[in-house]
Amino acid sequence: MSVLNNSRPAVDGATSDLLMDLHVKYIQALDTKKNDLEYWLTEHLRVNGLYWGATALHILGKPEALDQDQIVEYLVKCQHENGGFGGHIDHDPHILSTLSAVQVLITYDRLDAINVDKVVDYIVSLQNEDGSFSGDSWGETDTRFIFCAINCLSLLKRLDDKRLNLKKTIDYIVQCRNFDGGFGSSPGGESHAAQVYVCVGTLTILNALHHVDADQLGWWLSERQLKNGGLNGRPEKLEDVCYSWWVLSSLSMLKRAHWIDANKLTQFILEAQDSETGGIADRSGNIPDVFHTNFGICGLSLLRYPGLVPVDPVYCMPRHVIQRIGLTDKH
Ligand SMILES: [Zn+2]
């Protein structure tokens, strides 16, 4: 059953509104900024940016705001012979951009445009002897890459591939668990909310959430909320809108989303909006970007902000898409 039905906190008494139309315009304008230095500096993140923008638009209920055919045509050009996707045309393939590309194509129901078998071959080739996954053929390992691999294979319904050893993957994630209940990027790594999200997400998809002490981890996650309502990634750090997603989605999977103050977090996210250009920043007063815009909007969706399309806390995609492909029994 859905964790959303019984554990999402409801919002009431919000004092400022979500600037939905302005955020749609902000996302639409991103691709027209080709003369900006920033556009070129972030070239390696272009496919990820497409995922953040397209997801935010879907959650805002405006999936048609970007040209679907153009997006699909572009993504097809980013797929390599080995099946992986680069962050932009002619960029080396990486698991991060491969997941983003697959998420966008599934969201638009256009998986038919690519060679799925090759994507699976690519991801399987990244599994290491210890069960972890590397981000690319250069071999760097991180729990984020494990989640990307498992998430992507789950979306493609290929977790039953005989070449995989998922028991070892679960064992590896369990080794990354710390005494405080949190998870790090590798065994012995400091607990961090983003790493908690990827580890709890991986265990959720692999039906192995029993390895988590939900009360202990739920407490650690709820301690991330500061007086101003915002959430940080680990103790003594600044609050940041993107942690609205990492922390709240983890709490949702643990069925403890009600352990934080939903109204205060809602206000914190809304205050980080840019009321002139649209878009959401990491915190109030800073320059918005598409990454924080997406995770702010997805956070508000988990908080049941009125008028937003429900988001899935594991896959960070519209819930109706996850339902359409029949994955809701995963959590
Ligand atoms: Zn952030």
Side-chain angles (χ1 to χ4, degrees):
M1 265 311 291
S2 161
V3 294
L4 296 176
N5 293 338
N6 51 22
S7 62
R8 276 197 313 181
V11 174
D12 57 63
T15 53
S16 51
D17 289 332
L18 180 62
L19 307 167
M20 294 176 74
D21 293 342
L22 212 48
H23 296 322
V24 171
K25 287 198 184 101
Y26 171 80
I27 294 165
Q28 283 177 317
L30 288 170
D31 205 43
T32 63
K33 293 179 178 162
K34 290 182 179 164
N35 293 325
D36 288 8
L37 180 62
E38 198 198 336
Y39 182 90
W40 298 108
L41 289 178
T42 56
E43 191 179 71
H44 64 291
L45 291 174
R46 202 58 44 75
V47 171
N48 298 102
L50 203 48
Y51 158 69
W52 298 322
T55 302
L57 289 173
H58 276 78
I59 301 301
L60 288 166
K62 293 277 185 283
E64 71 288 350
L66 291 179
D67 186 324
Q68 190 191 128
D69 291 336
Q70 240 176 35
I71 289 173
V72 173
E73 199 181 313
Y74 168 76
L75 289 175
V76 167
K77 288 183 191 157
C78 294
Q79 189 177 24
H80 286 251
E81 190 49 40
N82 71 0
F85 286 78
H88 187 43
I89 297 165
D90 293 335
H91 284 222
D92 287 342
H94 196 283
I95 192 70
L96 289 169
S97 33
T98 299
L99 172 63
S100 286
V102 166
Q103 286 174 310
V104 173
L105 289 166
I106 289 181
T107 298
Y108 285 111
D109 201 10
R110 290 298 308 276
L111 214 48
D112 59 297
I114 58 157
N115 187 327
V116 170
D117 288 340
K118 284 201 159 189
V119 180
V120 175
D121 290 345
Y122 173 71
I123 299 172
V124 168
S125 78
L126 296 175
Q127 187 169 34
N128 301 309
E129 199 48 51
D130 61 6
S132 68
F133 285 80
S134 296
D136 59 21
S137 56
W138 302 100
E140 192 199 349
T141 302
D142 184 315
T143 44
R144 282 181 308 154
F145 306 149
I146 299 176
F147 177 64
C148 290
I150 297 300
N151 183 341
C152 202
L153 291 169
S154 168
L155 289 170
L156 297 172
K157 313 275 186 66
R158 298 295 188 91
L159 280 173
D160 57 355
D161 192 293
K162 294 286 178 279
R163 294 167 292 178
L164 295 165
N165 188 331
L166 298 179
K167 190 190 171 299
K168 278 191 170 183
T169 302
I170 294 171
D171 290 346
Y172 186 89
I173 296 281
V174 170
Q175 282 175 44
C176 297
R177 195 179 58 197
N178 291 318
F179 68 92
D180 56 13
F183 290 85
S185 60
S186 57
E190 186 189 4
S191 293
H192 186 289
Q195 250 71 41
V196 168
Y197 165 71
V198 296
C199 290
V200 170
T202 302
L203 294 176
T204 300
I205 292 172
L206 296 178
N207 294 317
L209 207 50
H210 57 276
H211 288 291
V212 174
D213 182 333
D215 282 337
Q216 188 194 24
L217 180 52
W219 179 84
W220 186 88
L221 288 165
S222 61
E223 284 290 298
R224 306 278 58 80
Q225 189 162 36
L226 304 177
K227 277 203 179 70
N228 64 7
L231 304 168
N232 64 13
R234 52 200 158 123
E236 313 299 330
K237 296 289 176 185
L238 280 177
E239 68 284 359
D240 182 327
V241 159
C242 64
Y243 292 103
S244 310
W245 177 260
W246 316 125
V247 174
L248 196 55
S249 59
S250 302
L251 283 169
S252 289
M253 288 185 261
L254 299 171
K255 299 187 167 50
R256 279 157 182 75
H258 56 287
W259 284 15
I260 56 137
D261 187 324
N263 287 322
K264 283 179 83 174
L265 177 57
T266 301
Q267 276 315 305
F268 172 77
I269 299 171
L270 293 175
E271 280 162 17
Q273 298 179 104
D274 190 316
S275 56
E276 285 170 23
T277 62
I280 300 175
D282 55 356
R283 65 185 69 87
S284 178
N286 288 350
I287 295 176
D289 60 77
V290 66
F291 174 85
H292 289 94
T293 301
N294 177 49
F295 289 113
I297 288 168
C298 288
L300 289 171
S301 171
L302 274 186
L303 290 161
R304 291 184 172 175
Y305 191 89
L308 291 179
V309 170
V311 67
D312 185 276
V314 181
Y315 296 95
C316 197
M317 289 163 61
R319 186 152 189 81
H320 63 85
V321 172
I322 297 303
Q323 277 166 345
R324 187 188 76 218
I325 62 174
L327 282 180
T328 34
D329 59 336
K330 287 284 176 205
H331 48 278

